[in-house]
C-alpha cells in the first residue's frame, strides 16, 4: 500500500473512531486521548494503543475495533491495550456485562413490557426459532410473564412451532381496537405472519418492515410482561437493522451452529449489533453434538467447542450449548416445544439452562433500586 493510500486509510480510521463514544460520558475515544499512536502499515494493518480508563466498559475496545475494521482498505486491526494503573478508582456498580450500558427504557412503544430480547443469527436454519420458542416457554414455565414476537418476515413459523392455528382476535372499544396475542404454554404469542399473506413476497425492504412493525407493535395488547422475546429475521441486512432501530432491545442472543462458527456470519451479526449499540448477551451453540435416539450416546459430528472458541474470540459469554436431537425437530413440527413435551431430555435441559442464563443476565441489567 502506497504512502498516500495509507494516509487516506489513516484519516478514514480516525474519523470512524471518533464515532465510538463512551456510553455514559459521551466522550469519543479519539479526542478523549484513549486512542494513541494510530498507524497504518504497508499491508493494510491498522495499529493503535488504547488507553483503557478505570470506568471504561471493556467493550469500548471492541467497539473501536469494529469501527476500524469496517473502514475500506483496512486488512487487519491490532490494538495494544494499556490498562488503567492499579488502584485507580473503579466506579461502583459499573455494568461490566454486555457491550453497552443499560438502555433508557423502551420509549413507550410497548408499555407494560419490562425487558425485550431478540434471538438472532447470521443465517437461517440454525435453530433461531427453536431457541426463541423454547426459551420463551421455559421462562413461562418458571413463572415469568412472557411474550413472544415472531418478527421473522422471511419465515414466520413460530405459530406452527407453538401449535397455533388460530388468528389473533381484536379487543377494545371502537376506534381503539388492539390485537390480542394468542396464549400457548403460558406465552403471549404474536406473529408478523398473522398479517402477511402466504402469497405476499417476503422481499419487503427494511424501512417498510420497520414501518409495519412499529404500527403492529403499538396495536398489540401485550399486557404486563416481564420479558418479550423477539424472533428476528436471519442475517445482517437492512431489514434486521431497521428492526433493531425500531425496537429498543435490552439484549440479543446470537444463535450459531458449529459449522456456522467458521463462516463469519455470526461475527458479522455481532458487529451489526455493536454498531447499533445493541448489547449482545451472548452466544448459543445449537446442534452441538448429536444425541442418538436409540442409545442416547452423544456424537460430536462437527467437532467440539466451536461456540466456546467463538465466545473467547469475541469476549462474549457462551450462554448455552443445545445438542442435535430428533425430538427437538419433532416437537417443532408438532407444535409442542421440547421443553414442554420432553422436559427431561438433554436438549430440553440445555434449553432450560440457557433460558435461566438469559434471565439472570437480564436481571443483572435492572438497576438495583427497581
Ligand atoms: N437442536 C436441534 N435438534 C434437532 N433439530 C433442530 C435443533 N434445532 C433446530 N432444529 C430443527 O432445524 C430446523 C431449523 O430450525 P429453526 O429453528 O426453524 O431455524 P431458524 O429459525 O434459524 O431458521 C427445524 O426443523 C428445527 O426443528
Ligand atoms: Mg425461524
Amino acid at each position: 500500500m502506497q504512502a498516500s493510500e495509507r494516509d487516506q486509510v489513516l484519516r478514514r480510521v480516525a474519523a470512524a473512531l471518533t464515532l465510538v463514544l463512551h456510553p455514559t460520558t459521551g466522550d469519543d475515544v479519539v479526542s478523549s486521548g484513549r486512542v494513541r499512536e494510530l498507524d497504518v502499515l504497508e499491508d493494510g494493518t491498522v495499529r493503535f494503543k488504547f488507553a483503557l480508563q478505570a470506568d471504561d466498559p471493556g467493550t469500548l475496545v471492541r467497539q473501536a475495533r469494529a469501527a476500524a475494521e469496517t473502514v475500506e482498505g483496512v486488512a487487519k486491526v491490532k490494538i495494544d491495550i494499556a490498562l488503567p494503573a492499579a488502584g485507580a478508582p473503579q466506579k461502583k456498580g459499573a455494568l461490566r456485562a454486555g457491550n453497552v450500558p443499560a438502555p433508557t427504557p423502551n420509549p413507550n412503544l410497548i408499555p407494560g413490557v419490562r425487558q425485550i430480547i431478540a434471538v438472532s443469527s447470521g443465517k437461517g436454519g440454525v435453530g433461531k426459532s427453536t431457541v426463541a420458542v423454547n426459551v420463551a416457554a421455559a421462562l413461562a414455565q418458571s413463572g415469568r410473564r412472557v411474550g413472544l414476537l415472531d418478527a421473522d418476515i422471511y419465515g414466520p413459523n413460530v405459530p406452527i412451532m407453538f401449535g397455533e392455528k388460530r388468528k389473533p382476535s381484536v379487543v377494545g372499544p371502537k376506534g381503539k381496537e388492539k390485537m390480542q396475542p394468542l396464549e400457548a404454554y403460558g406465552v403471549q404469542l404474536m406473529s408478523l405472519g398473522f398479517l402477511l399473506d402466504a402469497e405476499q413476497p417476503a422481499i419487503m425492504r427494511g424501512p417498510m418492515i420497520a414501518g409495519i412493525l412499529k404500527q403492529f407493535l403499538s396495536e398489540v395488547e401485550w399486557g404486563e410482561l416481564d420479558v418479550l422475546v423477539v424472533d428476528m429475521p436471519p442475517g445482517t441486512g437492512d431489514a434486521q437493522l431497521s428492526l433493531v432501530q425500531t425496537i429498543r432491545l435490552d439484549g440479543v442472543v446470537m444463535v450459531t451452529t458449529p459449522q456456522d462458527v467458521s463462516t463469519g456470519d455470526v461475527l458479522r451479526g455481532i458487529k451489526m449489533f455493536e454498531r447499533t449499540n445493541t448489547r449482545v448477551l451472548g452466544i448459543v451453540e445449537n446442534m452441538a453434538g448429536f444425541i442418538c435416539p436409540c442409545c442416547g450416546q452423544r456424537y460430536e459430528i462437527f467437532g467440539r467447542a466451536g461456540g466456546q472458541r467463538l465466545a473467547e474470540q469475541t469476549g462474549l459469554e457462551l450462554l448455552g450449548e443445545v445438542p442435535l436431537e430428533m425430538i427437538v425437530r419433532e416437537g417443532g413440527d408438532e407444535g409442542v416445544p421440547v421443553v414442554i413435551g420432553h422436559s427431561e431430555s438433554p436438549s430440553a435441559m440445555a434449553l432450560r439452562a440457557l433460558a435461566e442464563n438469559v434471565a439472570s443476565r437480564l436481571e443483572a441489567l435492572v438497576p438495583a433500586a427497581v
Side-chain angles (χ1 to χ4, degrees), residues 182-223:
L182 299 169
E183 188 178 326
Y185 308 111
V187 175
Q188 304 294 324
L189 172 71
M190 243 313 151
S191 172
L192 266 181
F194 293 145
L195 293 190
L196 303 175
D197 246 313
E199 282 94 63
Q200 202 164 353
I203 48 163
M204 288 186 292
R205 303 214 7 103
M208 242 175 100
I209 296 164
I212 292 177
L213 192 73
K214 215 173 216 157
Q215 190 190 357
F216 181 61
L217 285 176
S218 59
E219 289 171 3
V220 176
E221 184 61 61
W222 289 106

Coordinates of all heavy atoms in Angstrom, one line a residue, residues 182-223:
L182 N -52.2 -14.5 21.2 CA -52.7 -15.8 21.5 C -51.9 -16.4 22.6 O -50.7 -16.1 22.7 CB -52.5 -16.7 20.3 CG -53.3 -16.2 19.0 CD1 -52.8 -17.0 17.8 CD2 -54.8 -16.4 19.2
E183 N -52.5 -17.1 23.5 CA -51.7 -17.7 24.6 C -51.5 -19.2 24.4 O -52.5 -19.9 24.2 CB -52.4 -17.4 26.0 CG -51.4 -17.8 27.1 CD -52.0 -17.6 28.5 OE1 -52.7 -16.6 28.7 OE2 -51.7 -18.4 29.3
A184 N -50.3 -19.6 24.4 CA -50.0 -21.0 24.3 C -48.8 -21.3 25.3 O -47.8 -20.5 25.3 CB -49.6 -21.4 22.9
Y185 N -48.9 -22.3 26.0 CA -47.9 -22.7 27.0 C -47.5 -21.5 27.9 O -46.4 -21.3 28.3 CB -46.6 -23.3 26.3 CG -47.0 -24.4 25.3 CD1 -46.8 -24.2 24.0 CD2 -47.5 -25.6 25.8 CE1 -47.2 -25.2 23.1 CE2 -47.8 -26.6 24.9 CZ -47.7 -26.4 23.6 OH -48.0 -27.4 22.7
G186 N -48.5 -20.7 28.3 CA -48.3 -19.6 29.2 C -47.6 -18.4 28.5 O -47.2 -17.5 29.2
V187 N -47.4 -18.5 27.2 CA -46.7 -17.4 26.5 C -47.7 -16.6 25.6 O -48.5 -17.2 25.0 CB -45.6 -18.0 25.6 CG1 -44.9 -17.0 24.7 CG2 -44.5 -18.8 26.4
Q188 N -47.5 -15.3 25.6 CA -48.4 -14.5 24.8 C -47.7 -14.4 23.4 O -46.6 -13.9 23.3 CB -48.5 -13.1 25.4 CG -49.0 -13.0 26.8 CD -50.4 -13.4 26.8 OE1 -51.2 -13.2 25.9 NE2 -50.8 -14.1 27.9
L189 N -48.4 -14.9 22.4 CA -47.7 -15.0 21.1 C -48.3 -14.1 20.1 O -49.5 -14.0 19.9 CB -47.9 -16.5 20.7 CG -47.5 -16.8 19.2 CD1 -46.0 -16.8 19.1 CD2 -48.0 -18.2 18.9
M190 N -47.4 -13.5 19.3 CA -47.8 -12.6 18.2 C -46.9 -12.9 17.0 O -45.7 -13.1 17.3 CB -47.7 -11.2 18.6 CG -49.0 -10.4 18.6 SD -50.0 -10.6 17.2 CE -51.6 -10.3 18.0
S191 N -47.4 -12.9 15.8 CA -46.5 -13.2 14.7 C -46.8 -12.2 13.6 O -48.0 -11.9 13.3 CB -46.7 -14.6 14.2 OG -46.0 -14.7 13.0
L192 N -45.8 -11.7 13.0 CA -46.0 -10.8 11.8 C -46.7 -11.7 10.7 O -47.3 -11.2 9.8 CB -44.6 -10.3 11.2 CG -44.2 -9.0 11.7 CD1 -42.9 -8.6 11.1 CD2 -45.2 -7.9 11.4
G193 N -46.5 -13.0 10.8 CA -47.1 -13.9 9.8 C -48.6 -13.8 9.8 O -49.3 -14.1 8.8
F194 N -49.2 -13.4 11.0 CA -50.6 -13.2 11.1 C -51.1 -12.1 10.1 O -52.2 -12.1 9.7 CB -51.1 -12.8 12.5 CG -50.9 -13.9 13.5 CD1 -50.5 -13.6 14.8 CD2 -51.0 -15.3 13.2 CE1 -50.3 -14.6 15.8 CE2 -50.8 -16.3 14.1 CZ -50.5 -15.9 15.4
L195 N -50.2 -11.2 9.8 CA -50.6 -10.1 9.0 C -50.2 -10.3 7.5 O -50.8 -9.7 6.6 CB -49.8 -8.8 9.4 CG -50.1 -8.2 10.8 CD1 -49.5 -6.9 10.9 CD2 -51.6 -8.1 10.9
L196 N -49.2 -11.1 7.3 CA -48.7 -11.3 6.0 C -49.5 -12.4 5.3 O -49.8 -13.4 5.9 CB -47.2 -11.7 6.0 CG -46.3 -10.7 6.7 CD1 -44.8 -11.2 6.7 CD2 -46.3 -9.3 6.0
D197 N -49.7 -12.2 4.0 CA -50.4 -13.2 3.2 C -49.4 -14.3 2.9 O -48.2 -14.0 2.7 CB -50.9 -12.5 1.9 CG -52.4 -12.5 1.8 OD1 -52.9 -13.6 2.1 OD2 -52.9 -11.4 1.5
A198 N -49.9 -15.5 2.7 CA -49.0 -16.5 2.3 C -48.3 -16.2 1.0 O -47.2 -16.6 0.7 CB -49.7 -17.9 2.3
E199 N -49.1 -15.5 0.1 CA -48.6 -15.2 -1.2 C -47.7 -14.0 -1.2 O -47.0 -13.8 -2.2 CB -49.7 -15.0 -2.2 CG -50.4 -16.3 -2.7 CD -51.6 -16.6 -1.9 OE1 -52.5 -15.8 -1.9 OE2 -51.6 -17.6 -1.2
Q200 N -47.8 -13.2 -0.2 CA -47.0 -11.9 -0.2 C -45.5 -12.2 -0.2 O -45.0 -12.9 0.6 CB -47.4 -11.2 1.1 CG -47.1 -9.7 1.0 CD -47.8 -9.0 2.1 OE1 -48.6 -9.6 2.8 NE2 -47.5 -7.7 2.2
P201 N -44.8 -11.7 -1.2 CA -43.4 -12.0 -1.2 C -42.7 -11.4 0.0 O -43.0 -10.3 0.4 CB -42.9 -11.3 -2.5 CG -43.9 -10.3 -2.8 CD -45.2 -10.7 -2.2
A202 N -41.7 -12.1 0.5 CA -41.0 -11.6 1.7 C -39.8 -10.8 1.4 O -38.8 -11.0 2.0 CB -40.6 -12.8 2.6
I203 N -40.0 -9.9 0.4 CA -38.8 -9.2 0.0 C -39.0 -7.7 0.3 O -38.5 -6.8 -0.4 CB -38.5 -9.3 -1.5 CG1 -39.8 -9.2 -2.3 CG2 -37.8 -10.7 -1.8 CD1 -39.5 -8.9 -3.8
M204 N -39.9 -7.4 1.3 CA -40.1 -6.0 1.6 C -38.8 -5.4 2.1 O -38.0 -6.1 2.7 CB -41.1 -6.0 2.8 CG -42.5 -6.3 2.4 SD -43.6 -6.0 3.8 CE -43.0 -7.3 4.8
R205 N -38.6 -4.2 1.8 CA -37.4 -3.5 2.2 C -37.4 -3.1 3.7 O -38.5 -3.0 4.3 CB -37.1 -2.3 1.3 CG -37.0 -2.7 -0.1 CD -36.0 -2.0 -1.0 NE -35.1 -1.1 -0.3 CZ -33.9 -1.3 0.0 NH1 -33.4 -2.5 -0.4 NH2 -33.1 -0.4 0.6
G206 N -36.3 -2.9 4.2 CA -36.2 -2.7 5.7 C -37.1 -1.6 6.2 O -37.9 -1.8 7.1
P207 N -37.1 -0.4 5.6 CA -37.9 0.7 6.1 C -39.4 0.3 6.1 O -40.1 0.7 7.0 CB -37.6 1.8 5.1 CG -36.3 1.5 4.5 CD -36.2 0.0 4.5
M208 N -39.8 -0.4 5.1 CA -41.2 -0.9 5.0 C -41.5 -1.7 6.2 O -42.5 -1.6 6.9 CB -41.4 -1.7 3.8 CG -42.4 -1.1 2.8 SD -42.3 -2.1 1.3 CE -43.8 -3.1 1.6
I209 N -40.6 -2.7 6.5 CA -40.8 -3.6 7.6 C -40.8 -2.8 8.9 O -41.7 -3.1 9.8 CB -39.6 -4.6 7.6 CG1 -39.7 -5.5 6.4 CG2 -39.7 -5.5 8.9 CD1 -38.4 -6.2 6.1
A210 N -39.9 -1.9 9.0 CA -39.8 -1.1 10.3 C -41.2 -0.4 10.5 O -41.7 -0.4 11.6 CB -38.7 -0.1 10.2
G211 N -41.7 0.2 9.4 CA -43.0 0.9 9.5 C -44.1 -0.1 9.9 O -44.9 0.2 10.9
I212 N -44.2 -1.2 9.3 CA -45.2 -2.2 9.6 C -45.1 -2.6 11.1 O -46.0 -2.7 11.8 CB -45.1 -3.4 8.7 CG1 -45.5 -3.0 7.2 CG2 -46.0 -4.5 9.2 CD1 -45.4 -4.1 6.2
L213 N -43.8 -2.9 11.4 CA -43.6 -3.4 12.8 C -44.0 -2.4 13.8 O -44.6 -2.7 14.9 CB -42.1 -3.8 12.9 CG -41.8 -4.6 14.1 CD1 -42.3 -6.0 14.0 CD2 -40.3 -4.6 14.4
K214 N -43.6 -1.2 13.6 CA -43.9 -0.1 14.6 C -45.4 0.0 14.8 O -45.9 0.0 15.9 CB -43.4 1.2 14.0 CG -42.9 2.1 15.1 CD -42.2 3.4 14.4 CE -41.0 3.8 15.2 NZ -40.1 4.6 14.5
Q215 N -46.1 0.0 13.7 CA -47.6 0.1 13.8 C -48.1 -1.2 14.5 O -48.9 -1.1 15.4 CB -48.2 0.2 12.4 CG -49.6 0.5 12.4 CD -50.2 0.4 11.0 OE1 -49.5 0.1 10.0 NE2 -51.5 0.6 10.9
F216 N -47.6 -2.3 14.0 CA -48.0 -3.6 14.6 C -47.8 -3.6 16.1 O -48.7 -4.0 16.8 CB -47.1 -4.7 13.9 CG -47.4 -6.1 14.3 CD1 -48.7 -6.6 14.0 CD2 -46.4 -6.9 14.8 CE1 -48.9 -8.0 14.4 CE2 -46.7 -8.2 15.2 CZ -47.9 -8.7 14.9
L217 N -46.6 -3.2 16.5 CA -46.3 -3.3 18.0 C -47.3 -2.4 18.8 O -47.7 -2.7 19.9 CB -44.9 -2.9 18.2 CG -43.9 -3.9 17.8 CD1 -42.5 -3.4 18.0 CD2 -44.1 -5.2 18.6
S218 N -47.6 -1.2 18.2 CA -48.4 -0.3 19.0 C -49.8 -0.8 19.0 O -50.7 -0.3 19.8 CB -48.3 1.1 18.4 OG -48.7 1.1 17.1
E219 N -50.2 -1.7 18.2 CA -51.5 -2.2 18.1 C -51.8 -3.5 18.7 O -52.8 -4.2 18.6 CB -52.0 -2.2 16.6 CG -52.2 -0.8 16.1 CD -52.5 -0.7 14.6 OE1 -52.6 -1.8 14.0 OE2 -52.6 0.4 14.1
V220 N -50.7 -4.0 19.5 CA -50.9 -5.3 20.2 C -51.1 -5.0 21.7 O -50.4 -4.2 22.2 CB -49.6 -6.2 19.9 CG1 -49.8 -7.4 20.7 CG2 -49.4 -6.5 18.5
E221 N -52.0 -5.7 22.2 CA -52.3 -5.6 23.7 C -51.5 -6.6 24.4 O -52.0 -7.7 24.7 CB -53.8 -5.8 23.9 CG -54.3 -5.6 25.3 CD -54.1 -4.2 25.7 OE1 -54.6 -3.3 25.1 OE2 -53.4 -4.0 26.7
W222 N -50.2 -6.3 24.7 CA -49.4 -7.3 25.3 C -49.7 -7.5 26.8 O -49.5 -8.5 27.4 CB -47.9 -6.8 25.2 CG -47.3 -6.9 23.9 CD1 -47.0 -5.9 23.0 CD2 -46.9 -8.1 23.2 NE1 -46.5 -6.3 21.9 CE2 -46.4 -7.7 21.9 CE3 -47.0 -9.5 23.5 CZ2 -46.0 -8.6 21.0 CZ3 -46.5 -10.4 22.5 CH2 -46.0 -9.9 21.3
G223 N -50.3 -6.4 27.4 CA -50.5 -6.5 28.9 C -49.2 -6.4 29.6 O -48.2 -5.8 29.0

